Each structure stands twice: as C-alpha cells, then as structure tokens.
Amino acid sequence: GAPGAATAPPGHPQATIETIDSGRRDYPDADFSKFVIKEGGPALTVKLTGVRYAPGTVVFFNGAPVPTRIVSVNEIQGTIAATLLGTPGRFPIVVRGDTPDSVSNTAWLIVAYR
C-alpha cells in the first residue's frame, strides 16, 4: 500500500462501495437514475463497484440479504425483488463479508413516487 494508507487487519479486509448503478433509466439524467428509481416495476439488479468483494460477500438491501453475484473483486451485483420496490423511500445498501464486523459503507437507493 501507499505510505500512510490505512490498512485493514490481516484476513479481514473491509469491502467498500464506491458507486451504485440501478441499471434503470427512469429519469432523463443518467447519473441521477443510477441511484433514484420510480416505485414499482420489475426486480432490480443493482451494480455496485468498489473494492475487496471477496467470495462470500453478500449485498443487503434495507437490512435484508438479497441474491448476490460477485462479478470481480471490484464489482458485485444484488438483485432486489420487485416487492421491495413498491414503497417510496430512501433505502440503505451495504455489502457484508464473512465476519460480523465486515460491513461496508452505506450506499443509498431512493425509490421515488411514480
């Protein structure tokens, strides 16, 4: 690592979310649409990019685990069921590793009124 960089304890690297992409384009502004979707619609596969997505890492939406696919050490996808997207609100997304203290920073998905 770089001099002065913070390092995680050996064996317990912390996953980090850097960007979120809803994959939907519900609004004319593509960047806005990455984290704001309209309520309802089909299941959503959200793409998270960041660092340290190891085997066993799981995406959590609003506190509940969702089906997760690890694409690479820098990309993970979580599939959020349509039933979870029917209520407007601001919902937290985190990724958790294989230890209780291995939780990423929080990204937010906003579900807006249709």
Side-chain angles (χ1 to χ4, degrees), residues 21-86:
D21 187 347
S22 72
R24 282 198 198 163
R25 294 297 173 258
D26 287 352
Y27 296 94
D29 184 317
D31 288 331
F32 186 74
S33 288
K34 288 182 177 183
F35 61 92
V36 182
I37 64 166
K38 292 181 181 177
E39 69 180 300
L44 180 73
T45 298
V46 64
K47 178 174 82 172
L48 306 174
T49 57
V51 292
R52 294 187 285 281
Y53 299 142
T57 302
V58 176
V59 174
F60 281 72
F61 174 76
N62 202 26
V66 299
T68 300
R69 182 167 84 89
I70 298 169
V71 178
S72 72
V73 70
N74 299 114
E75 182 182 331
I76 193 168
Q77 296 176 352
T79 300
I80 302 166
T83 54
L84 299 175
L85 301 172

